[in-house]
Amino acid sequence: METALLDLVTPETAGDPMGQRKWVRRSLRKLSHGLAQAGYAASAPTVSRLLKKHDYALRVNVKEKEAGTHHPDRDTPFHHIEAQKAASLNF
């Protein structure tokens, strides 16, 4: 069952090329369903334990910076686009 799980995880694996961290972009539920289609019964918690055994972590899409931080140049491209749009409409 572990080899089947690793076969499912391999195309969904990402990680830090400079470090040892690797993670899976697929949910535990989807991996569990994939194993069921391959003929193995494994719940999501079982899949989680097997992934941890092979040094995988789950990774969700989250912002790594605080939402309140604002980069000063963030709005510059948008203002440029609006100016170009206005100039082309007045032409």
Side-chain angles (χ1 to χ4, degrees):
M1 178 167 66
E2 290 184 33
T3 56
L5 177 62
L6 293 176
D7 289 342
L8 283 174
V9 167
T10 300
E12 298 293 328
T13 299
D16 181 6
M18 301 301 288
Q20 295 295 328
R21 294 177 37 184
K22 58 184 176 180
W23 57 84
V24 180
R25 293 178 280 201
R26 213 166 181 194
S27 71
L28 293 174
R29 184 182 304 145
K30 288 183 181 181
L31 289 171
S32 178
H33 287 303
L35 283 175
Q37 289 177 350
Y40 300 101
S43 64
T46 301
V47 171
S48 176
R49 282 192 299 275
L50 290 173
L51 288 175
K52 286 179 185 176
K53 179 181 174 183
H54 291 280
D55 296 325
Y56 279 92
L58 289 178
R59 180 88 174 203
V60 294
N61 294 328
V62 293
K63 291 184 179 181
E64 292 193 9
K65 290 187 177 182
E66 202 174 290
T69 59
H70 181 74
H71 194 276
D73 293 332
R74 183 193 182 288
D75 293 334
T76 305
F78 299 106
H79 292 299
H80 176 73
I81 292 170
E82 284 297 319
Q84 293 296 317
K85 235 169 58 174
S88 69
L89 290 175
N90 291 334
F91 187 54

